Every structure is written in C-alpha cells, then in structure tokens.
C-alpha cells in the first residue's frame, strides 16, 4: 500500500503554498491581526480564484468535489502562513452541514455562493462539545433562544450554522431580529471568534439534521485544526533552524552547539510522524468511516501537544527575539494556542477517544 500524496495533491498544495507566499506575507498578517473584523478581501478573492472555498462542494454546485485529505493539505499551508482566512467555517463545516442536513433548496441556494467565494459562513457548534453554565441554544417553534460561544469565523459571516441542544442545525442571518453579536478576545488575532445571543430569533432549520451530522462536522473541524497546527509548527521549526544557523554567540553560530541541535532535532522528530496521523485522519473522514471519529480525536489531541512543544521550543531557540513583534514568531505561537482550544482541548478530546474505545465511562 502506498501512503503518500498523489501528484495532483502535491500540485494543489504547491499552488496554495505559492499563492500564500506571495499574498499573505507577515506584514499582511500583522495588518489583519490589527483589525479582526475585516476580512482580507483581496486574499479571499485570490483564494476563491484557486477554488479553495469550493474544495469540498460537489461539482454540481460549482465546487471541486475534492476530499478531506485535499482540504487538510491546504489547511496545512494556511497554518504555515498564519493566513487570515475564514477557512474552517466557510469551506469545511458549513458546506458539510448543508450537504449532510440541508434541503435541496438550501443546497442550491447557498453552496454555489460558497463555492464562488461570494459569501462567508460562521459556525456556532462548540456547545455540542462542552457547554458552559450560561450557554447553550434551545429551539422552540422555529425560534432560537440562548447563547453560543466561540463561534468560528464570527465576524465575517454572511450566515451562521447554529447547533441547538437537540442536535438540530439551523441557518441564521446576521441581521436577524433578536440576534446580538459580540466579539470574543482570543490570543490569535488572525481569526475571528465571537458570541451569539439569541432572543427568540427566527431560524431556518436544516431538515435532515441529526446527531451524526453534528458529529461529522466536529470530526472534520478537529482534523483541520490538527492540519493547521501541523503547518504552523513546521514553519516555526524552519524559522528556528534558520535562526540557529545565523545567530552567533561566543564566535560561533548557536546551531553548532549540541544543546541547540538537540532542540531542533526534537521538534523535527515530534512533527514528522504527526503528518501521517493527520493525513490518515483526513483520509478516514472520506474512506474509513469506522475510524473517522477516533482518528479525528487522536489527530486533534496529539497535534495540540506537539504544537505546544514546538511553539515553546522554537521560541526558546530564538531567545529574546522570539517574543518581539518585529520577528513575528508569536503569530504562529498564538495560532497553535487557539487551535489547541477550539472544538475541545486535548484532555477533553482524549477522554472522548477513551470512551469511544470503551476505556472510560
């Protein structure tokens, strides 16, 4: 069995890498981080020309009809460049919700617009993983009441996919009567996360909603966060190795000292095996449904730990420079930090994996 990317997948990844190298330099990331309410429209337009928003959407709706592995290798590049794109909600979780649970009319209305990059979608689903005391959304007579926290792609959304407490999925417009929106501050300013408060807000239900559809959205989101962390970690490693080869101390580049060599080697040793884990988890979403949920948990929790190790170690290799805004290393550090927490921290996700295997109650 050959377990590697196909020629087409390598070309796709190279195309996205070149696009982001040219269009998402650190200066642009820094500009986006200064105003999280503004989508970098030019960047999004360029990504749309590449077909990124429609990767998972069937060709009948104007998309590319690709699989989750394709999305994961693209997401790895997005993490590598800390690209300020509303990728997860718009290109993965919202299309998946519409394809799994939406009516034909809803699919025909929204999927072509997403595929063309004309609209952005937010996803309010975190209460299905861990609900806080004052949060959660109830649906009654076609109206939503309650609060949803840590809404993904919150600021840019032209509509939201909202999960209620009974595994129902609903489509809500941002200007709906009774809906209040508030930004939430997180360490990562390259992506928007917010809060939605519903006061008997009229919502359009997705008629084929189910617990399995919600779980599939979460699985896909977790794998994409793992891929994002993989890309961000790889970039931090490369930056640390480059810095160690330039920075001199005691008349020698610091990379010649065994202690620094070991730090870089440990980062590489942690990251490289993680790549195959992420790839298989993404592959399982399409091809091995029996493994999909467990592998999504493994990928999310493992990359959360590996990402934190690499982020800390790469910063240590950079010494004091690692904390300066001029260097910009902290953007990757913070990206990894938010990836770790959204859709479940590693401890919670590992418990879920243990329960799936019958090892915990």
């Amino acid at each position: 069995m050959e377990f590697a990317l196909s020629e087409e997948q390598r070309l796709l990844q190279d195309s996205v890498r070149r696009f982001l190298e040219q269009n998402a330099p650190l200066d642009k990331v820094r500009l986006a981080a200064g105003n999280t309410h503004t989508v970098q429209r030019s960047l999004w337009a360029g990504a749309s020309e590449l077909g990124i928003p429609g990767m998972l959407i069937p060709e009948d709706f104007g998309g590319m009809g690709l699989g989750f592995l394709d999305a994961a290798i693209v997401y790895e590049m997005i993490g590598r460049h800390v690209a300020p794109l509303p990728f997860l909600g718009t290109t993965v979780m919202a299309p998946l919700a519409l394809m799994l649970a939406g009516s034909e009319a809803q699919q025909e209305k929204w999927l072509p617009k997403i595929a063309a990059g004309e609209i952005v979608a937010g996803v309010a689903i975190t209460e299905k993983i861990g609900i806080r005391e004052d949060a959660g959304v109830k649906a009654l007579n076609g109206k939503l009441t309650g609060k949803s926290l840590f809404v993904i792609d919150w600021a840019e959304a032209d509509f939201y996919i909202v999960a209620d407490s009974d595994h129902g999925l609903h489509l809500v417009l941002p200007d709906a009567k009774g809906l209040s929106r508030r930004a939430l501050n997180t360490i990562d300013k390259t992506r928007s996360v917010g809060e939605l408060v519903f006061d008997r807000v009229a919502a359009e239900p997705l008629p084929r909603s189910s617990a399995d559809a919600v779980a599939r959205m979460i699985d896909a989101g977790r794998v994409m966060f793992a891929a994002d962390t993989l890309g961000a970690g790889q970039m931090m490693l490369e930056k640390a190795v480059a810095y160690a080869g330039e920075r001199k101390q005691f008349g020698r580049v610091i990379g010649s000292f065994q202690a620094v060599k070991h730090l870089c080697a440990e980062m590489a040793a942690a990251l490289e095996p993680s790549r195959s884990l992420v790839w298989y988890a993404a592959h399982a979403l399409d091809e091995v449904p029996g493994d999909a949920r467990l592998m999504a948990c493994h990928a999310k929790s493992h990359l959360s730990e590996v990402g934190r190790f690499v982020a800390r170690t790469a910063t240590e290799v950079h010494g004091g420079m690692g904390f300066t805004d001029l260097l910009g290393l902290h953007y990757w550090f913070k990206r990894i930090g938010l990836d770790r927490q959204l859709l479940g921290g590693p401890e919670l996700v590992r418990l879920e994996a243990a329960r799936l295997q019958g090892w915990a109650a």
Side-chain angles (χ1 to χ4, degrees):
M1 182 183 78
E2 181 179 356
F3 190 70
L5 299 182
S6 67
E7 182 65 22
E8 291 78 10
Q9 288 168 330
R10 285 194 290 271
L11 287 172
L12 172 64
Q13 194 174 45
D14 287 343
S15 297
V16 176
R17 182 206 299 263
R18 287 196 299 273
F19 168 74
L20 293 174
E21 284 175 349
Q22 296 169 5
N23 296 279
L26 184 58
D27 286 347
K28 197 161 188 175
V29 171
R30 187 176 282 114
L31 179 66
N35 182 0
T36 57
H37 297 281
T38 301
V39 177
Q40 298 302 306
R41 291 292 179 185
S42 60
L43 185 59
W44 183 243
S48 301
E49 290 179 4
L50 287 177
I52 289 177
M55 279 192 308
L56 297 178
I57 296 174
E59 294 180 3
D60 290 346
F61 296 107
M64 298 170 69
L66 300 179
F68 286 107
L69 178 54
D70 304 291
I73 62 176
V74 169
Y75 216 135
E76 182 182 339
M77 291 299 101
I78 290 174
R80 177 184 176 85
H81 295 278
V82 286
L85 288 170
F87 184 81
L88 183 61
T90 305
T91 68
V92 177
M93 298 181 77
L96 187 58
L98 289 165
M99 291 188 286
L100 291 173
S103 66
E104 289 185 8
Q106 289 168 333
Q107 293 174 355
E108 291 173 357
K109 179 178 180 180
W110 296 105
L111 290 178
K113 292 181 180 179
I114 295 174
E118 295 174 359
I119 58 174
V120 171
V123 174
I125 200 170
T126 55
E127 280 68 37
K128 303 307 298 180
I129 300 166
I131 188 168
R132 298 194 179 193
E133 188 173 325
D134 62 342
V137 179
K138 296 280 187 183
L140 182 63
N141 298 326
K143 294 189 175 182
L144 302 181
T145 301
K147 180 192 295 182
S148 187
L149 300 171
F150 301 101
V151 179
I152 297 167
D153 296 345
W154 168 86
E156 304 90 351
D158 295 292
F159 72 88
Y160 296 102
I161 296 292
V162 181
D164 68 30
S165 57
D166 294 320
H167 308 296
L169 291 168
H170 307 264
L171 196 150
V172 178
L173 298 178
D175 58 354
K177 185 179 179 182
L179 178 65
S180 302
R181 307 192 305 155
R182 184 171 71 89
L184 295 178
N185 288 322
T186 69
I187 58 171
D188 179 15
K189 304 303 182 187
T190 64
R191 292 172 291 182
S192 69
V193 177
E195 168 188 294
L196 297 178
V197 179
F198 303 87
D199 181 10
R200 291 173 292 175
V201 174
E204 182 181 342
L206 274 58
R208 294 184 291 133
S209 298
S210 65
D212 186 61
V214 173
R216 288 265 294 165
M217 292 173 62
I218 293 170
D219 293 343
R222 284 173 171 171
V223 174
M224 297 305 140
F225 275 135
D228 191 77
T229 295
L230 176 63
Q234 182 67 38
M235 181 59 101
M236 292 195 82
L237 167 62
E238 293 175 18
K239 284 180 175 290
V241 171
Y243 184 77
E246 296 173 356
R247 169 69 171 164
K248 289 186 177 179
Q249 191 63 272
F250 306 116
R252 299 163 52 186
V253 294
I254 62 172
S256 66
F257 294 108
Q258 192 172 43
V260 177
K261 288 180 183 176
H262 282 184
L263 290 177
C264 294
E266 286 172 0
M267 286 190 281
L271 271 176
E272 194 54 36
S274 302
R275 181 164 284 103
S276 56
L277 172 60
V278 172
W279 286 359
Y280 182 72
H283 169 76
L285 289 171
D286 280 321
E287 305 294 342
V288 195
D291 285 356
R293 189 147 306 148
L294 182 60
M295 294 310 301
C297 290
H298 285 329
K300 177 70 164 63
S301 57
H302 186 66
L303 266 295
S304 295
E305 303 294 17
V306 168
R308 183 167 69 172
F309 168 73
V310 171
R312 286 180 174 177
T313 307
T315 305
E316 289 172 9
V317 170
H318 281 81
M321 284 292 289
F323 295 95
T324 65
D325 187 65
L326 179 65
L327 188 68
L329 195 68
H330 63 93
Y331 287 109
W332 284 267
F333 191 109
K334 294 170 180 175
R335 183 95 174 194
I336 289 170
L338 187 60
D339 285 348
R340 177 185 173 91
Q341 294 304 326
L342 291 180
L343 299 183
E347 298 84 2
L348 184 147
V349 177
R350 281 206 185 92
L351 176 60
E352 190 173 325
R355 285 172 175 159
L356 286 170
Q357 297 169 96
W359 296 343

